[in-house]
Amino acid sequence: VADAKLYAIGGHLAQNAKPDALCFVLELKTGVWSPIAPLPNRCGAIAATALGGRVHAIGGAIGDTPAEKKSVDWHYAYDPKSDRWERLAPLPTGRDHTGTVTVGTFIHVIGGRVDSFHTNSNLHHVYDAQKDRWETRRPLPTARSGHGAALYQGKIFVMGGEGTDRVYGQNEAYDSATDRWEAY
C-alpha cells in the first residue's frame, strides 16, 4: 500500500511457476483496479513495499516450471507519477518468498527461499535508499520462507513460514535499534 492505493506486482500464473510481469493498482476510494507499467521482467513471489513515494519490488522467482524455478536478486522501484520502473542496487543474495517491511527510511528483507524451500535462508538485508546500498543485519534465528512479517510497536515480527516437510510456529521479533532478535 502506498498513498492510499493497493498495488499488485507480478506474480505466478500457476503454483510457483509461470511468472508474470503485469502490475495493477487499486484505488481504494473507488474500488477500481487499473493496469500500471509492467515489471521490466516476469517475476513471481516478489516482495513489495513502499518507501519515499515509490513501490519497491525486490527479489522473487523466475522459471516456467517448478523444476526451472530460480531466485533472483532484482530490485526495481515504481514511480506512480511517471508510471515507470527504475532498476536499483540488487539484493545481495537472490531470494523469494521473503518477509519484507519498511521501517523509517530503510527496507528490511528477511529470510526467504534460495531457489527452493529446501534451501531456506536466515539472511537479513537492509536497503538504504539514500545510498542505493544494501547492508547486512543480524540473521533471522529460524531460517524460513513464505512467512509473515509486520512492523508492530517499533519491532519487526516474523512468524510462521515453511520449509522441507514442515511449517514453522516460531514468532520472532527484530529490534532495529539494538540489531537483536527476541523469541515470542
Side-chain angles (χ1 to χ4, degrees):
V1 174
D3 297 325
K5 295 178 181 178
L6 176 66
Y7 290 84
I9 309 298
H12 283 114
L13 300 174
Q15 181 67 34
N16 286 317
K18 297 185 181 178
D20 194 74
L22 294 179
C23 300
F24 300 88
V25 62
L26 173 65
E27 181 67 49
L28 298 177
K29 291 178 185 176
T30 63
V32 175
W33 284 98
S34 300
I36 62 172
L39 286 166
N41 302 92
R42 298 180 314 130
C43 194
I46 195 167
T49 190
L51 177 65
R54 301 194 302 173
V55 177
H56 290 253
I58 304 166
I62 58 172
D64 284 332
T65 68
E68 297 170 332
K69 184 177 170 283
K70 176 157 181 53
S71 301
V72 294
D73 62 0
W74 302 339
H75 179 191
Y76 299 107
Y78 174 75
D79 182 352
K81 292 176 185 169
S82 66
D83 191 33
R84 292 186 180 198
W85 290 94
E86 174 188 2
R87 183 181 282 273
L88 299 174
L91 187 61
T93 302
R95 302 193 306 272
D96 60 88
H97 288 87
T98 62
T100 301
V101 296
T102 298
V103 180
T105 60
F106 298 94
I107 297 172
H108 291 254
V109 177
I110 302 168
R113 300 176 187 172
V114 178
D115 300 333
S116 162
F117 60 66
H118 300 297
T119 52
N120 277 344
S121 171
N122 68 345
L123 292 174
H124 178 184
H125 290 105
V126 175
Y127 178 72
D128 182 337
Q130 293 177 345
K131 297 177 183 175
D132 189 30
R133 186 174 77 196
W134 290 93
E135 298 175 359
T136 303
R137 293 291 188 268
R138 189 172 302 269
L140 176 64
T142 306
R144 57 184 120 167
S145 62
H147 49 285
L151 183 63
Y152 178 69
Q153 294 187 348
K155 295 181 182 179
I156 301 171
F157 281 80
V158 175
M159 70 291 294
E162 60 187 353
T164 304
D165 298 325
R166 68 176 293 189
V167 294
Y168 293 93
Q170 285 86 345
N171 179 13
E172 297 159 330
Y174 177 76
D175 185 335
S176 60
T178 62
D179 191 32
R180 298 229 180 259
W181 286 92
E182 303 168 343
Y184 279 79

